[in-house]
Amino acid sequence: MNNSVPEIGSPARTKAILNRYRLVAKKSLGQNFLSDLNILRNIVSAADVSENDNVIEIGPGIGALTEQIALKARKVVAFEIDENLLPVLDETLLPYDNVKIINQDILKANLPDVIRDEFEPGHPLKLVANLPYYITTPILMGVLQSNVAFDQIVVMMQKEVADRLSAEPGNKEYGSLSVVMQYRANVEIAFEVPRTAFIPQPNVDSAIIRLTPRESLPVTPYDDKALFGFVKGCFAHRRKSLWNNLQGIFGKQPEVRERIETVLNKVDISRQLRPERLTLLNFIELVNAFHDEGLM
Ligand code: SAM
């Protein structure tokens, strides 16, 4: 790299790039460019990226995070939907021969194919990104449900969503999204990022989440989709008791109520509990017990 050129994520260089290409950040695509080199480097460190790693990035923007990943990783493949950014990325990332940009909507991408075509096998695979916030949940659900075995996922998102994804039972942020995400991965907040670190500044603060996909759980549900639907149903009225929500799912007929009662006794869970008190394992035990009882 030419040492006289400041790195892309420095505020001065970010502003110069935006001016030179007359780029106006597109709100509709969640374009807020991170321009703080310490934070960019800390994101890459949070994923412990090393020269042995293959990395997927989503939404490289003008290349600030891509550059920091490229400095550490074996190879980076980044998906960018906005074709106006392609000539910018061609120039900003020119010094790096381990970067490949794919002009595609990540929600339509075939990740397993891209990974097979672009990466040499036998190396750790990581996902590192400053996500477009308007599609944080679909991206994460898609990634966690794809058959791709990421060793580590480190992504930036709106702080409020990060709090929900990482919330534990009993916390007011704990809900169906927390349970579903924690079913797939161990979720932790690595650090928070103030809105002032971006150009232009968003209206919300951000946080970096580290997701480590789970290998196995002590109990597994009879069906993933049934578990997700059941958890959603249990949180339909979070101020009401589990008993109320279960009747919302299965019905209020006396015969059904009796069977719900049988299941609750079997798994030893009180009908008066609010859904936010239930752990992931409670939900899995319940869904399996309702299945055994013939209600699902
Ligand atoms: N990585 C850059 C940074 O940290 O400064 C930019 C991050 S910006 C929050 C999100 C980026 O995602 C934008 O470049 C935007 O164009 C891109 N993007 C938005 N929707 C996308 C999609 N569906 N698929 C791929 N990229 C998308």
Side-chain angles (χ1 to χ4, degrees), residues 90-244:
D90 271 351
E91 186 214 303
T92 58
L93 298 172
L94 189 65
Y96 305 96
D97 59 7
N98 58 345
V99 174
K100 161 104 186 225
I101 304 292
I102 299 182
N103 180 209
Q104 196 180 16
D105 178 347
I106 185 63
L107 297 179
K108 299 195 177 132
N110 184 330
L111 268 184
D113 279 3
V114 170
I115 286 162
R116 194 200 50 225
D117 296 345
E118 296 294 338
F119 292 133
E120 243 178 58
H123 297 275
L125 178 65
K126 297 183 176 173
L127 173 67
V128 180
N130 171 11
L131 294 175
Y133 293 179
Y134 72 107
I135 43 171
T136 298
T137 312
I139 291 177
L140 288 180
M141 293 308 288
V143 165
L144 292 171
Q145 271 164 24
S146 70
N147 289 326
V148 175
F150 283 104
D151 295 279
Q152 186 84 80
I153 299 174
V154 170
V155 284
M156 173 138 71
M157 62 188 67
Q158 192 175 333
K159 182 174 175 308
E160 200 185 298
V161 178
D163 286 341
R164 274 165 47 208
L165 296 188
S166 59
E168 304 210 335
N171 184 304
K172 70 177 184 352
E173 307 298 337
Y174 184 67
S176 52
L177 198 58
S178 333
V179 180
V180 169
M181 206 55 76
Q182 291 170 31
Y183 169 62
R184 296 285 183 194
N186 281 307
V187 185
E188 55 184 335
I189 292 189
F191 59 95
E192 295 177 8
V193 176
R195 60 192 78 185
T196 48
F198 299 85
I199 299 177
Q201 278 190 31
N203 297 324
V204 293
D205 290 319
S206 300
I208 311 293
I209 277 248
R210 192 190 289 116
L211 297 160
T212 313
R214 286 187 186 282
E215 305 232 309
S216 66
L217 278 163
V219 204
T220 49
Y222 77 94
D223 179 76
D224 287 2
K225 286 215 175 83
L227 172 72
F228 300 162
F230 176 73
V231 171
K232 235 179 163 179
C234 288
F235 279 102
H237 304 282
R238 49 180 306 139
R239 296 278 127 233
K240 293 194 177 167
S241 65
L242 178 62
W243 175 244
N244 258 296

Side-chain angles (χ1 to χ4, degrees), residues 29-34 40 57-62 64-65 79-82 85 104-107 130-132 134-135:
L29 291 179
Q31 290 180 355
N32 298 96
F33 303 113
L34 185 52
L40 287 159
E57 189 195 354
I58 297 163
I62 60 171
L65 182 58
F79 290 89
E80 176 54 64
I81 197 173
D82 185 356
L85 292 173
Q104 196 180 16
D105 178 347
I106 185 63
L107 297 179
N130 171 11
L131 294 175
Y134 72 107
I135 43 171

